[in-house]
Amino acid sequence: MEDPAAPGSGNPPANGYGNGNGGGKGKPAAPKGRETFRSQRRESEGSVDCPTLEFEYGDTDGHAAELSELYSYTEHPEFTTNRRCFEEDFKTQVQGKEWLELEEDAQKAYVMGLLDRLEVVSRERRLKVARAVLYLAQGTFGECDSEVDVLHWSRYNCFLLYQMGTFSAFLELLHMEIDNSQACSSALRKPAISIADSTELRVLLSVMYLMVENIRLERETDSYGWRTARETFRTELSFSMHNEEPFALLLFSMVTKFCSGLAPHFPIKKVLLLLWKVVMFTLGGFEQLQALKVQKREELGLPPLAEDSIQVVKSMRAASPPSYTLDLGESQLAPPPSKLRGRRGSRRQLLTKQDSLDIYNERDLFKTEEPATEEEEESAGDGERTLDGELDLLEQDPLVPPPPSQAPLSAERVAFPKGLPWTPKVRQKDIEHFLEMSRNKFIGFTLGQDTDTLVGLPRPIHESVKTLKQAFWPKRLRHATCRILVPQPGIEPVPPALGARRLNHWTAREVPPLALWLKHKYISIADVQIKNEEELEKCPMSLGEEVVPETPCEILYQGMLYSLPQYMIALLKILLAAAPTSKAKTDSINILADVLPEEMPITVLQSMKLGIDVNRHKEIIVKSISALLLLLLKHFKLNHIYQFEYVSQHLVFANCIPLILKFFNQNILSYITAKNSISVLDYPCCTIQDLPELTTESLKIPRGVYFRKYLT
């Protein structure tokens, strides 16, 4: 096995998002109420130490951060236990050498011996061997000098373990532990479940997660053998091997079994993290999803996409929320303009500013520049006077303090194109629905699918239809001519988007592009899929049975189909239990089984450490479920629109929308910047450095920004 170069550090975030301040104002409140609002706002704003937040939108966080989130701080003593089990076993097999000093053949021979010793009857001996394997997957940190070395050897050992068949062996052990009725009944009888009840499962899931995460990561320095092993591993996880279900379905069954109360000792955080990474590894992340979308549009004969939506989102600034929730409510309680007309005051912003689109809306891309008439200027003047009058009441004591001065942004940050940051997409149905509502309102009848006749409609409707049609064609080509393919007389060919390839039925002709906007409108993959389903429903006998390609996404959906409602309900139940605004209930599930120690803390320091660990545990669970659902919805929508609708329907039935609203019923800025982490206890730092003495002051860590909260 080749030994590639050690991985470097991750790239720094590329985007900076500044915080905006909402300036909503309304009626003058009583002095007591106003002072209360101002004190609450100062607390909200004072909780944010960094006015500029850095975040790069992507699939996952850095490699080290993703590995560190696998372990809770309560599991820290087990690192030493794993090392001791490995050293005891290694000394009996190899004399006078360390693991890093062995040749590749000797390392493979030792791993084969470990796998043989896994097949013993005694659970204690089997657990010791499994801990030795886990120590190898963790990077043999006892022989390393830095965190980079630990991550490097962890990745090297994981490829070596996979090539020797370790994943298959641990999969069999996982099946045994899932079906272990004795452990389930023992956990059900206990009044309080702790981390000791899931020791075997945590060791097995940790080894499998480390292997999936390390092998999934692609580096330019990877050898050909590693690249081949990665593709083989992806195939094994994606498809059913040896008449068994895909690995993701096994993890889904563990989630439902945990939520049903039959196995409350399952380490649900490790299960969800492994499930998320397996789905991402087999189906693909955002980049692979965009490549599949481009490939599918090309197969259907559709025009290529003008842009990558993920890249557009990465270049946008975040929409800053109001500094306090009452700002929006106060701005809506402003008195009517008729009562305040004629007053003078300083001109200030009335509603909360949204930074993400203000830069783009400086000038409309399709709006014609015409001089304003005198009537418009007079009405604008009246509006200014009205606004000045509304704000005159609060001029003496402003409710919101002025925003802090910030450094000007660089030219690269503000050099955005005019108009929207993305290319407008308008479908045929959008224009038909718009004209149907307009005709019903102004005329009283409709003209079906006619989008050219605008007789009887007011001038603004004409301009709106013109803008919608202009969205289909670039501005520089609207007055040019082009050659197109039109069907020959007497022949009705199938549109190219539906698979026709007989170009001899078409002929070329020069026409103006604006006359062809229907032929160049945006056609989504979903429209073609719906059209194909309608054709199959009309002519099932003549068209025959549909040939569905056996893709990883299709295989996963077919396996999930019969139990899909249970899967969605289980995920949302766990998400509800981990939501920061949820209150403890007697009927809620216990998601802290793999974080609570056997003995509860007795000192203030231990209580603070456990509190941070519990909050971090919940944040990781919320992140994994959110990312998993987003990934499934994106891939199912690309695979077939009806699969996406079916999953979304069951999410709505399981009260997903109220759950999302419940999650946002909090101070978002405080939630994002709350730092529930102890850096010296994170892997791999805790395995290399000597741990300093923790005190109550050292645990009061200043606030920061975390990827998992943004991703959530």
Side-chain angles (χ1 to χ4, degrees), residues 167 208-209 212-213 216 233-234 236-238 246-252 270-284 552 556 628 631:
F167 191 86
M208 302 175 86
Y209 178 85
V212 171
E213 179 64 17
R216 184 189 65 86
F233 192 29
R234 180 184 286 113
E236 292 180 359
L237 296 178
S238 303
F247 183 55
L249 294 181
L250 176 64
L251 299 176
F252 269 116
K270 288 181 169 54
V271 174
L272 291 172
L273 284 174
L274 181 57
L275 175 59
W276 169 37
K277 292 306 175 63
V278 167
V279 172
M280 182 183 298
F281 184 34
T282 55
L283 302 187
L556 178 62
L628 174 63
L631 202 61

Side-chain angles (χ1 to χ4, degrees), residues 14-53:
N15 301 333
Y17 299 135
N19 293 335
N21 292 327
K25 302 177 190 281
K27 295 181 180 180
K32 182 178 180 181
R34 175 185 299 171
E35 196 65 29
T36 303
F37 294 158
R38 293 175 62 184
S39 62
Q40 290 174 340
R41 180 170 296 103
R42 281 195 299 267
E43 293 177 0
S44 174
E45 293 175 351
S47 63
V48 184
D49 295 335
C50 47
T52 301
L53 305 182

Side-chain angles (χ1 to χ4, degrees), residues 30-150:
K32 182 178 180 181
R34 175 185 299 171
E35 196 65 29
T36 303
F37 294 158
R38 293 175 62 184
S39 62
Q40 290 174 340
R41 180 170 296 103
R42 281 195 299 267
E43 293 177 0
S44 174
E45 293 175 351
S47 63
V48 184
D49 295 335
C50 47
T52 301
L53 305 182
E54 299 287 344
F55 173 70
E56 183 176 356
Y57 188 75
D59 293 316
T60 60
D61 201 353
H63 183 53
E66 293 294 335
L67 294 181
S68 66
E69 292 179 352
L70 175 65
Y71 311 101
S72 62
Y73 297 148
T74 312
E75 297 179 87
H76 184 267
E78 296 188 5
F79 285 105
T80 305
T81 305
N82 299 338
R83 178 179 178 180
R84 185 179 66 253
C85 292
F86 171 80
E87 291 178 349
E88 291 177 357
D89 185 88
F90 189 76
K91 289 179 180 179
T92 60
Q93 305 297 326
V94 181
Q95 301 294 332
K97 287 188 177 181
E98 294 183 347
W99 170 259
L100 301 184
E101 298 175 354
L102 295 180
E103 299 293 336
E104 181 180 347
D105 295 337
Q107 292 176 345
K108 290 182 178 180
Y110 177 73
V111 172
M112 287 298 298
L114 283 177
L115 297 181
D116 292 337
R117 289 187 289 277
L118 274 177
E119 301 178 0
V120 294
V121 179
S122 175
R123 289 176 58 88
E124 295 182 359
R125 294 177 57 188
R126 190 165 62 237
L127 178 60
K128 289 184 178 181
V129 177
R131 286 189 178 277
V133 177
L134 177 57
Y135 177 75
L136 287 175
Q138 290 172 344
T140 56
F141 49 82
E143 305 175 21
C144 298
D145 299 328
S146 64
E147 299 179 17
V148 177
D149 292 340
V150 174

Side-chain angles (χ1 to χ4, degrees), residues 564-577:
L564 187 61
Q566 289 79 8
Y567 295 155
M568 297 300 107
I569 293 174
L571 290 176
L572 293 183
K573 286 180 65 176
I574 300 174
L575 188 61
L576 176 62

Side-chain angles (χ1 to χ4, degrees), residues 469-507:
K469 292 183 178 181
Q470 286 176 344
F472 298 122
W473 202 254
K475 186 175 182 180
R476 65 181 182 275
L477 299 178
R478 289 174 191 161
H479 304 288
T481 59
C482 61
R483 297 176 61 85
I484 65 164
L485 294 177
V486 297
Q488 295 181 2
I491 298 179
E492 265 187 42
V494 181
L498 300 182
R501 295 293 183 267
R502 300 179 180 177
L503 297 180
N504 56 343
H505 292 170
W506 303 75
T507 182

